[in-house]
């Protein structure tokens, strides 16, 4: 098993997160999830790499979360998943949903489309880029759904809702929008739009204006806006 989920040490999950999720790591369902992942890795290729499973949490500490962008599942192609929803490492072509995100970024803010699909620079500014399921079997979309990850990531959303204020949740598509019930909308902001996939991007995602809306909400709270530009 990877060091990130070693039962004998505190998981490497990023600043502030273990304190609010410790109960999850000790729960029976999480022990079953670890057993499932051990069995999967013994016979299958699993994405992302073990050290990147909690990358979203590592790059965006609990107290620094300003925006939550929810995805469903890691990319299942070789070299694509690296622990951040919608994002791919530099040198990997941007998948269609990410290309549509860049189209909306250009339309909304007039920014040039990024030259790569690594969104780590968003994460470091406080955008928690969280998939509901944190691992996947190679070439099999959704193959690790229903094994316990959703319970874990739901708990992360609930902890943010309870202990933070003014977080902006971007819920794109029906799956993400089902998570709205986990969020106290008296304390937080929820922005919804269709998913940026080719099937639905032109049914309202293109034109949603969420990138500018996020920055307006941040400025209204006295916070600095997100620099959505991609570093070269």
């Amino acid at each position: 098993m990877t060091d990130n989920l070693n039962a004998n040490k505190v998981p490497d999950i990023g600043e502030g997160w273990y304190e609010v999720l410790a109960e999850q790591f000790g729960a029976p369902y999480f022990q079953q999830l670890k057993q499932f992942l051990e069995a999967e890795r013994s016979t299958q290729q699993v994405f992302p790499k073990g050290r990147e499973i909690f990358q979203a949490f590592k790059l965006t500490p609990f107290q620094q979360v300003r925006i939550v962008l929810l995805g469903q599942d890691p990319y299942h192609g070789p070299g694509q998943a690296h622990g951040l929803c919608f994002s791919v490492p530099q040198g990997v072509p941007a998948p269609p949903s990410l290309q549509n995100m860049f189209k909306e970024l250009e339309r909304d803010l007039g920014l040039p489309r990024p030259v790569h699909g690594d969104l780590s620079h968003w994460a470091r500014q406080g955008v928690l880029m969280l998939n509901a399921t944190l691992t996947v079997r190679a070439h099999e979309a959704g193959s690790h759904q229903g094994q316990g990850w959703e319970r874990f990531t739901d708990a992360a959303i609930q902890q943010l809702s309870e202990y933070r204020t003014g977080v902006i949740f971007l819920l794109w598509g029906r799956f993400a929008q089902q998570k709205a019930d986990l969020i106290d909308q008296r304390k937080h902001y929820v922005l919804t739009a269709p998913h940026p996939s080719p099937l639905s991007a032109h049914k309202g995602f293109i034109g949603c204006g969420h990138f500018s809306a996020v920055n307006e909400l941040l400025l209204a709270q006295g916070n600095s806006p997100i620099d959505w530009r991609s570093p070269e």
Side-chain angles (χ1 to χ4, degrees):
M1 198 58 212
T2 68
D3 287 344
N4 273 335
L5 296 177
N6 190 310
N8 298 319
K9 60 190 295 188
V10 173
D12 180 15
I13 192 176
E15 184 181 342
W17 283 106
Y18 182 74
E19 289 78 2
V20 297
L21 293 173
E23 182 178 342
Q24 306 304 315
F25 286 108
Y29 86 87
F30 201 87
Q31 306 312 307
Q32 294 171 2
L33 172 61
K34 289 197 293 184
Q35 294 171 5
F36 166 77
L37 288 174
E38 288 171 355
E40 280 285 279
R41 289 193 185 277
S42 69
T43 60
Q44 306 290 335
Q45 189 174 18
V46 174
F47 301 134
K49 300 173 184 177
R51 65 178 179 273
E52 295 178 332
I53 291 175
F54 296 124
Q55 188 74 346
F57 299 98
K58 293 178 187 177
L59 292 184
T60 314
F62 183 77
Q63 292 295 342
Q64 294 179 24
V65 175
R66 302 195 287 161
I67 297 98
V68 177
L69 177 55
L70 288 177
Q72 186 167 359
D73 216 32
Y75 295 124
H76 54 85
Q80 291 182 308
H82 67 145
L84 305 177
C85 69
F86 295 107
S87 179
V88 292
Q90 291 195 34
V92 176
S97 292
L98 184 54
Q99 292 180 30
N100 285 328
M101 289 166 59
F102 291 162
K103 289 178 184 177
E104 174 57 13
L105 188 62
E106 181 181 43
R107 188 212 63 82
D108 187 16
L109 293 174
L111 298 177
R113 297 185 191 182
V115 296
H116 60 77
D118 185 351
L119 306 181
S120 299
H121 58 293
W122 293 5
R124 293 188 180 97
Q125 295 177 76
V127 184
L128 178 67
M129 309 193 64
L130 183 65
N131 277 315
T133 301
L134 298 186
T135 57
V136 69
R137 184 186 294 182
H139 311 296
E140 295 187 35
S143 51
H144 286 187
Q145 292 176 7
Q147 299 294 333
W149 278 132
E150 295 91 339
R151 184 169 172 181
F152 180 82
T153 53
D154 281 358
I157 295 168
Q158 290 171 315
Q159 294 293 337
L160 285 167
S161 177
E162 181 172 356
Y163 293 109
R164 298 291 312 284
T165 58
V167 176
I168 305 163
F169 291 83
L170 300 179
L171 307 184
W172 296 344
R174 184 175 63 181
F175 176 84
Q177 288 161 19
Q178 292 172 347
K179 304 294 184 180
D181 290 343
L182 303 173
I183 304 161
D184 185 346
Q185 297 186 40
R186 298 166 298 180
K187 297 169 55 182
H188 304 282
Y189 305 95
V190 173
L191 303 181
T192 62
H195 195 276
S197 74
L199 294 175
S200 56
H202 294 282
K203 297 178 181 179
F205 177 78
I206 302 296
C208 69
H210 279 186
F211 297 105
S212 60
V214 162
N215 281 349
E216 289 168 6
L217 288 169
L218 289 172
L219 288 168
Q221 297 181 69
N223 296 323
S224 59
I226 301 296
D227 183 355
W228 299 108
R229 295 172 297 179
S230 174
E232 298 297 330

